[in-house]
Amino acid sequence: MLRIGEVELDNPIFIAPMAGITDRPFRELARELGAGLTCTEMTAAAAVVRAPEELVDRVIDLGAGEHPVAAQLVGSDPQMMSDAAQICVARGADIIDVNLGCPVPKVVKLGSGAALAREIPATVRVLEAMVRAVPVPVTAKMRLGWDHDTINAPELCLALEDVGVAAVTIHGRTRAQRYTGLADWEEIARVKESVRRIPVLGSGDVRDPEQVERRIRSGAVDGVVIARGMMGDWHLLAQTVRQLKFGDPGPEPSFRERLELARRHWDSVVDHHGERRGVRLARKYVVWAIKGCSGAARLRARVADLNTRSDLEELYWEIAAAGEGPQGWHRPSFTSGEG
Ligand SMILES: Cc1cc2nc3c(=O)[nH]c(=O)nc-3n(C[C@H](O)[C@H](O)[C@H](O)COP(=O)(O)O)c2cc1C
């Protein structure tokens, strides 16, 4: 069991915040499959504070059955971030997470995300204010540093721990790397060595349940956060949770089992967001499900024309009939230095 502040979590396998992906249907399914914690997509603090109620309802949209759940905020103003955190708590967030790693120009230009993390005193001011403002744990998610020459995650985490931040997640890449190259898990372990009291979660290329177990059992990290590994692979989560609990990931799912979970997810997206918006949002999830299918290119070409629930249903049956491709489905393997 892992604790973040007063919040007890069933297990240390978390689902990463992913903009455009980890909405309520995604989080609810992840929770059902065993995720120890899920997190909303990053939301700008200013939007939470200033946007009309209906818009806030859409982004801080936490279901009764999905607790514990974290709400992630991005911003750089201590007061605005504190006000936004209070609103998220009032809407049921069990944990407030602060995004200190977002690399996109639109965010760093405002001095937020990865840009804020470059300035340790400024970051500490924001997090310290938030810790004071809300009764729930405040956590932070960051990269190793801005670039290879300015890695500051160990120092930053130590400073954040001192002002009451309850856990940190380290994405083992720098801002300069964006999403390229392999995550550096040795650097993540250095952060774990530098902090004294709070859990350290690792993020980056998490796709191998046995490797996750080794990393946690060896004490390199207290838990992991699965991100792109979830794309088209719902079973990765359940298998990783099982690996950690029982030392075995369980049987490999069949093509049909993979497809059924994918379909459950996209159906719930349509139920939740309504047919028009939901089907458009579901298109990318259909593309993930087609990966490894026989005649994948032909099926993928149809995705842009999905507009209605019945279009989705029709394509589902075609995917099911096509079955697994000659190469079979395989989980891409990653090695990140430490074996
Ligand atoms: C599509 C996408 C959206 C993301 N959105 C967020 C976000 O909103 N907040 C955040 O902290 N990280 C975000 N990330 C970063 C992930 O949480 C994760 O740290 C990163 O992808 C590294 O893990 P991976 O190599 O397993 O994908 C995003 C990543 C992707 C691919």
Side-chain angles (χ1 to χ4, degrees), residues 10 22 110 192 196 254:
D10 288 344
T22 50
L110 297 171
K192 167 76 185 146
R196 292 174 294 249
S254 65

Side-chain angles (χ1 to χ4, degrees), residues 16-19 21 40-42 72 97 99 141 171 173 179 203-207 225-229 231:
M18 283 186 281
I21 297 173
T40 66
E41 309 163 60
M42 135 187 126
Q72 192 188 59
D97 188 53
N99 182 316
K141 180 166 178 286
H171 173 189
R173 293 186 175 86
Y179 292 96
S203 167
D205 312 327
V206 174
R207 295 176 199 234
V225 173
I226 308 179
R228 285 173 293 176
M231 297 180 173

Side-chain angles (χ1 to χ4, degrees), residues 75-114:
S76 57
D77 178 68
Q79 188 63 50
M80 185 75 84
M81 289 288 273
S82 301
D83 292 348
Q86 286 172 340
I87 294 170
C88 294
V89 172
R91 285 167 179 264
D94 301 293
I95 290 174
I96 301 296
D97 188 53
V98 177
N99 182 316
L100 298 174
C102 183
V104 308
K106 199 172 75 181
V107 169
V108 298
K109 247 194 281 171
L110 297 171
S112 302

Side-chain angles (χ1 to χ4, degrees), residues 206-229:
V206 174
R207 295 176 199 234
D208 175 348
E210 287 178 24
Q211 191 180 46
V212 168
E213 189 188 15
R214 280 199 300 278
R215 284 170 175 158
I216 294 175
R217 299 244 183 269
S218 70
V221 285
D222 297 297
V224 301
V225 173
I226 308 179
R228 285 173 293 176

Side-chain angles (χ1 to χ4, degrees), residues 36-223:
L37 184 71
T38 60
C39 187
T40 66
E41 309 163 60
M42 135 187 126
T43 310
V48 173
V49 173
R50 294 183 183 140
E53 193 98 342
E54 320 83 76
L55 253 178
V56 181
D57 283 346
R58 260 215 213 159
V59 281
I60 311 298
D61 169 26
L62 309 175
E66 61 166 322
H67 296 281
V69 58
Q72 192 188 59
L73 294 169
V74 65
S76 57
D77 178 68
Q79 188 63 50
M80 185 75 84
M81 289 288 273
S82 301
D83 292 348
Q86 286 172 340
I87 294 170
C88 294
V89 172
R91 285 167 179 264
D94 301 293
I95 290 174
I96 301 296
D97 188 53
V98 177
N99 182 316
L100 298 174
C102 183
V104 308
K106 199 172 75 181
V107 169
V108 298
K109 247 194 281 171
L110 297 171
S112 302
L116 181 59
R118 298 178 90 172
E119 311 292 338
I120 293 181
T123 308
V124 167
R125 278 196 293 279
V126 172
L127 275 289
E128 189 174 21
M130 295 172 77
V131 168
R132 288 214 190 109
V134 291
V136 304
V138 176
T139 60
K141 180 166 178 286
M142 70 198 71
R143 288 172 178 255
L144 295 172
W146 185 259
D147 58 25
H148 188 71
D149 297 324
T150 56
I151 286 179
N152 67 352
E155 296 89 319
L156 178 56
C157 290
L158 200 53
L160 293 179
E161 178 181 55
D162 283 344
V163 294
V165 167
V168 287
T169 299
I170 314 299
H171 173 189
R173 293 186 175 86
T174 62
R175 190 271 173 175
Q177 285 178 287
R178 311 279 177 109
Y179 292 96
T180 63
L182 292 176
D184 186 338
W185 283 77
E186 284 178 14
E187 283 292 342
I188 295 174
R190 281 212 314 126
V191 176
K192 167 76 185 146
E193 281 164 22
S194 80
V195 302
R196 292 174 294 249
R197 300 177 297 272
I198 60 174
V200 175
L201 287 299
S203 167
D205 312 327
V206 174
R207 295 176 199 234
D208 175 348
E210 287 178 24
Q211 191 180 46
V212 168
E213 189 188 15
R214 280 199 300 278
R215 284 170 175 158
I216 294 175
R217 299 244 183 269
S218 70
V221 285
D222 297 297

